[in-house]
Amino acid sequence: MSDSPPGPARPQASSLGDSIVADWDGPGDELPPPDWGRPSGPRRAATVWLFAILISAMAAANVWLAGGLEHEAFLAWATVFTAISFQALPFLVFGVALSAALTAFVPASFYRKVIPRNPMAAVPVAGLSGAVLPGCECASVPIAGGLIKRGIAPAAALTFLLAAPAINPVVLVATAVAFPGRPEVWVARLLASLGAAVVVGWIWARLGKADWLRPPRANHDPDATKAEVFRDSMVHDLIHAGGFLVVGAIAAATLNVAVPREWVNGVGDLPVVGVLVLAALAILLSICSEADAFVAASLNAFSPTAQLAFMVVGPMVDLKLIALQAGTFGWGFVRRFVPLTLAATLVFTFLIGGLLL
């Protein structure tokens, strides 16, 4: 019997759900827990089985299709895809590890001391800092994401993202080796790439909006140790960026095989068109910045300015880089940032190429 005073009769439940709630006779008259009826075992087993099925399917497909995958076009596609993926993977791992180290071990106060708070002043500092860190565009994306996580102005982090793969010591030395006896080539590459990166950073600092860029999310528990933060950040970024790298490599390999070489060689004698063609070729081929100078040097049917465009545009705008940027910052960011970067690289290519080459 209840000790509560008598009152008006309780209205009858109006639905089956209400009647179940009213008649529930569990402990404390509480509803079942949220996980009631769900499998209680770990879900990792399902993931392992799915992975095993995928590997088995790939092995079976390799046996069934091995005789039909010997066409020249497919072999060329497989070669380009493998080359892009394996060429970029070490630098991607390096960038992810460095980004995780920045997130875990470097306090935010360090960046506030080194990089000016004013975004307009921070942009050239970030651009020049790209000259001291070896790495390609695959490494620069996770590093830029790590800088934004640590409170650096997005304009400065994006300037570093553009400058680091284009003007670092490894790239400049490779350019000097690819063009022996022509120091004006690596100087032109340095000036054009740095100028484009800084101008893009200034424009973004002036006109960019916060909702254009999806900030990278923290991937760790706030109470985790530094070692746990490093591990969690590296695993998350490597899996996330690695998937988009594969997507970009697939697109680059497909376009590399699909575009006839005759179309490219037929415009080598047209100055402006040649620059645009090699810029487009740099986007499609997605060659790592440490190796693109040797490819540019082999394109001797084109003008020196066109070769410069290949080396300036490629490290800042290519298919795998677009895919990595989309995975890190979102497609809304890519739709605005990529056209701006492409326009700046072409302007500085024509300007510096016309003055030095």
Side-chain angles (χ1 to χ4, degrees):
M1 286 282 301
S2 173
D3 295 333
S4 59
R10 219 161 86 185
Q12 187 175 0
S14 59
S15 68
L16 177 62
D18 293 334
S19 65
I20 292 175
V21 172
D23 298 337
W24 177 256
D25 199 21
D29 290 339
E30 295 178 354
L31 292 175
D35 58 351
W36 184 64
R38 298 180 182 177
S40 57
R43 303 182 64 182
R44 293 181 180 177
T47 304
V48 172
W49 278 109
L50 287 175
F51 182 75
I53 293 173
L54 176 61
I55 294 299
S56 301
M58 292 176 63
N62 181 62
V63 174
W64 293 336
L65 302 177
L69 299 181
E70 296 179 357
H71 191 275
E72 282 188 18
F74 176 79
L75 294 178
W77 181 92
T79 300
V80 174
F81 169 75
T82 305
I84 291 176
S85 300
F86 279 90
Q87 187 182 50
L89 187 60
F91 297 101
L92 178 63
V93 173
F94 170 77
V96 166
L98 182 57
S99 173
L102 293 175
T103 302
F105 302 112
V106 180
S109 58
F110 172 80
Y111 299 105
R112 290 193 290 267
K113 294 177 182 178
V114 174
I115 299 180
R117 294 185 178 180
N118 185 350
M120 301 300 287
V123 162
V125 174
L128 290 173
S129 66
V132 299
L133 183 62
C136 75
E137 55 269 28
C138 300
S140 66
V141 174
I143 293 175
L147 291 175
I148 294 176
K149 287 180 184 178
R150 307 304 289 166
I152 299 300
L158 296 177
T159 302
F160 176 86
L161 183 152
L162 297 176
I167 65 172
N168 70 69
V170 176
V171 169
L172 296 180
V173 170
T175 305
V177 172
F179 293 90
R182 297 176 59 189
E184 68 276 7
V185 175
W186 72 262
V187 173
R189 180 173 193 173
L190 170 64
L191 296 178
S193 300
L194 181 60
V198 171
V199 167
V200 169
W202 276 335
I203 293 175
W204 195 270
R206 190 76 174 176
L207 304 177
K209 297 180 180 179
D211 58 353
W212 289 357
L213 185 148
R214 182 184 67 200
R217 293 187 292 264
N219 309 310
H220 53 82
D221 186 345
D223 298 327
T225 64
K226 292 183 178 181
E228 292 172 340
V229 171
F230 175 82
R231 180 200 62 200
D232 294 343
S233 298
M234 185 168 180
V235 170
H236 176 275
D237 291 348
L238 184 60
I239 294 175
H240 191 66
F244 281 92
L245 171 62
V246 172
V247 172
I250 291 174
T254 302
L255 291 171
N256 183 47
V257 173
V259 176
R261 293 291 179 182
E262 297 79 20
W263 296 5
V264 177
N265 296 331
V267 296
D269 296 331
L270 304 176
V272 176
V273 177
V275 170
L276 298 179
V277 167
L278 283 198
L281 194 64
I283 296 173
L284 300 180
L285 295 182
S286 302
I287 300 173
C288 190
S289 58
E290 273 80 4
D292 63 358
F294 298 96
V295 177
S298 68
L299 300 171
N300 48 25
F302 290 83
S303 67
T305 301
Q307 293 174 311
L308 177 64
F310 187 87
M311 295 183 289
V312 173
V313 174
M316 299 189 187
V317 186
D318 66 26
L319 289 180
K320 69 176 185 296
L321 182 57
I322 291 172
L324 289 171
Q325 290 174 355
T328 304
F329 303 120
W331 284 107
F333 165 80
V334 168
R335 287 195 300 268
R336 297 172 175 89
F337 187 72
V338 170
L340 173 62
T341 304
L342 180 59
T345 53
L346 290 175
V347 168
F348 274 89
T349 294
F350 282 113
L351 179 62
I352 301 300
L355 292 176
L356 297 182
L357 303 179

